[in-house]
Amino acid sequence: MKKLYFLLLGDPMQPKGFVLLCCGIFVFLCGVFGFLLYYLSLIFEHNSFSEIVLRQKEKDSIYGTSLNENIFGYKLALINQHKPDIIALGGSRVLQFRQEYFNAPFINAGNAMNNLLEGEAFLKAMLTTHKPKLVILGVTLWHFNEAFPNLASLPYHKINGTNITSQKLLTIAKMTLLGELFYPRYLFDNSFIPSPYLTLDSLGLNAINNSRGFLPDGSYVYGDVFQNKPAHDAHFIDTLQRIEQGNGRFEYATTFDTTRVQDFLRILALLKTNDIDVVLFVPPVAPSIYAAMHTKGDKYRYIDKLFLEFDRLGLKVFNYHNPAVLNNDDCEFLDGFHGGDTFYARILRDMASNEPILAHYVKDDILQEIITKSSGKAFAKTSIAPYPEQDFLQLGCKK
């Protein structure tokens, strides 16, 4: 072997041999890297968002990435492909509205508006290619808190699904070491990619490994609800800690930021200018979390002042911040500030019963069936999951 090495590359201690050695290593690494990118494209972790959306449309796939987190770009691709009449727009707390709740084409653009300026940027980008008839807009209270970031352009907006970054390479290395990256069988057949808890074709490593991701309508499925182990926010410990420390979206403030209100009004003006109807709602926190926030007295005074400002401006905002207006059950929540399917069915049905514009598009019978059959549960889309929901928050919920 040593003689063969010297024959092919020469003495590595000599200049020519050293150069050939370096070239050989470089060619080998390029080959490995090219093979790895090819494999990642087969499991839809190195693909354009338009490719991903087309596969979802063809196969009814779930998409959950571990390497290319740009929901802003992905949701624009969804809207460009489907041209929906209705969109839901907001942060992660609008993600439980689903297509089957509506009688017209719908896309959930949740997580594309993680602050007010980003929401405005998303709408402007969307309007260059499509104009929906109705926007259901989630009004996130901490977006009006000056302690919360408010940026139109964010670093992840540059991710297009196929670019290479240092973070992407580090994540690839980490997942390789943990055995969460490479599944040789998909080199030969990727026509259907399973995941642990769902019956759907699964695109991206978060979907493949954890059954977490976006459905073809842009709504989200949390595989955590099927795991027989404590979720990250079990007993709401994480959210309660945020409230105690005044951080992580629960920053204290005695008054709202008036410039944020102007940002919000500019979003509404943009919708009005384009003849798009809008329904505004404030997403809920879990009952126990609402109670914990209430014990802080004036530390969250900005919220009450903001509601008064909405009234002063004559805005019709459906307010579910206190979930007791619909149901006082922690078990219908995914964590301390994300309601599940059943609670969002309650929200949509309540809004539709009080807003004729929305009532025209909503399937009331479907919503009522979900509320009846899935009361006390966070997950209602049982057609895609053969496993029962667990008491993942360890609240003593009977699932």
Side-chain angles (χ1 to χ4, degrees):
M1 180 63 72
K2 186 175 181 181
K3 289 182 178 180
L4 178 62
Y5 174 87
F6 274 88
L7 181 64
L8 293 175
L9 297 179
D11 186 351
M13 300 306 294
Q14 299 300 318
K16 181 181 177 181
F18 180 74
V19 170
L20 289 173
L21 175 62
C22 290
C23 289
I25 293 172
F26 178 75
V27 170
F28 173 76
L29 291 176
C30 285
V32 171
F33 188 61
F35 172 78
L36 188 57
L37 291 183
Y38 171 69
Y39 164 73
L40 289 172
S41 71
L42 292 176
I43 62 170
F44 292 84
E45 271 290 10
H46 189 68
N47 310 72
S48 69
F49 296 127
S50 59
E51 287 181 279
I52 291 161
V53 168
L54 286 173
R55 167 79 170 215
Q56 285 190 286
K57 187 175 182 179
E58 176 190 353
K59 298 279 191 177
D60 195 31
S61 312
I62 183 175
Y63 168 60
T65 180
S66 294
L67 305 178
N68 299 295
E69 189 80 358
N70 179 9
I71 301 170
F72 187 99
Y74 165 66
K75 293 298 175 80
L76 283 176
L78 271 178
I79 290 172
N80 287 338
Q81 173 62 230
H82 293 277
K83 308 295 185 187
D85 291 338
I86 312 161
I87 72 166
L89 180 61
S92 58
R93 299 199 298 158
V94 305
L95 285 171
Q96 302 316 114
F97 293 127
R98 307 197 191 277
Q99 170 65 78
E100 55 263 38
Y101 301 173
F102 301 94
N103 57 28
F106 166 80
I107 287 295
N108 193 314
N111 261 143
M113 180 180 172
N114 294 302
N115 63 68
L116 294 166
L117 292 181
E118 185 183 33
E120 182 182 20
F122 182 84
L123 286 172
K124 287 179 177 178
M126 177 192 73
L127 289 169
T128 63
T129 59
H130 177 66
K131 185 172 75 172
K133 296 177 181 178
L134 173 67
V135 171
I136 302 171
L137 186 61
V139 183
T140 302
L141 298 178
W142 47 76
H143 287 178
F144 297 85
N145 186 333
E146 67 177 358
F148 191 80
N150 192 31
L151 300 168
S153 179
L154 293 156
Y156 58 77
H157 290 176
K158 297 178 181 178
I159 296 173
N160 61 27
T162 61
N163 44 1
I164 304 298
T165 65
S166 57
Q167 182 58 51
K168 189 171 183 175
L169 294 175
L170 286 171
T171 306
I172 289 171
K174 179 180 177 181
M175 297 189 77
T176 301
L177 292 172
L178 293 173
E180 298 174 348
L181 181 77
F182 192 65
Y183 303 92
R185 60 188 180 275
Y186 302 131
L187 290 170
F188 307 99
D189 182 8
N190 73 337
S191 59
F192 181 83
I193 305 174
S195 69
Y197 303 110
L198 303 178
T199 59
L200 300 177
D201 177 50
S202 303
L203 315 180
L205 288 161
N206 201 17
I208 293 170
N209 291 324
N210 305 308
S211 294
R212 287 178 64 107
F214 297 100
L215 298 176
D217 64 2
S219 66
Y220 201 81
V221 174
Y222 296 82
D224 316 58
V225 304
F226 309 110
Q227 297 181 12
N228 191 20
K229 64 179 183 180
H232 174 69
D233 202 18
H235 303 290
F236 298 136
I237 186 170
D238 177 67
T239 307
L240 289 170
Q241 186 177 54
R242 298 183 192 203
I243 293 170
E244 285 303 312
Q245 296 176 353
N247 61 23
R249 297 176 177 81
F250 289 87
E251 289 84 359
Y252 305 139
T254 56
T255 190
F256 57 86
D257 185 344
T258 56
T259 62
R260 307 290 179 95
V261 174
Q262 295 306 310
D263 295 338
F264 181 59
L265 293 177
R266 200 165 56 249
I267 289 172
L268 298 183
L270 179 62
L271 294 169
K272 184 177 181 180
T273 300
N274 285 276
D275 298 316
I276 300 172
D277 291 320
V278 61
V279 175
L280 304 172
F281 82 101
V282 177
V285 294
S288 293
I289 298 307
Y290 180 82
M293 294 177 71
H294 192 67
T295 65
K296 295 300 177 182
D298 287 342
K299 288 187 176 181
Y300 292 111
R301 182 64 174 161
Y302 83 95
I303 293 175
D304 292 332
K305 289 182 178 180
L306 184 61
F307 292 150
L308 291 174
E309 181 69 2
F310 290 159
D311 290 340
R312 187 188 71 80
L313 293 168
L315 300 177
K316 184 177 182 180
V317 182
F318 292 95
N319 184 2
Y320 304 108
H321 175 58
N322 179 358
V325 298
L326 293 180
N327 189 32
N328 204 32
D329 188 352
D330 284 329
C331 296
E332 290 187 359
F333 280 74
L334 294 157
D335 59 29
F337 51 99
H338 289 87
D341 293 356
T342 309
F343 202 94
Y344 272 69
R346 297 183 192 276
I347 286 174
L348 189 57
R349 190 164 190 258
D350 183 70
M351 291 194 297
S353 68
N354 292 284
E355 179 51 76
I357 293 172
L358 181 59
H360 174 72
Y361 294 107
V362 167
K363 293 181 179 179
D364 185 73
D365 56 336
I366 297 297
L367 297 176
Q368 183 56 58
E369 181 180 359
I370 289 171
I371 294 167
T372 301
K373 290 185 176 181
S374 301
S375 179
K377 295 182 180 180
F379 181 77
K381 199 173 173 65
T382 54
S383 61
I384 65 171
Y387 299 97
E389 180 176 333
Q390 302 294 315
D391 184 19
F392 57 95
L393 292 176
Q394 296 195 322
L395 299 173
C397 302
K398 296 180 179 180
K399 300 288 188 175

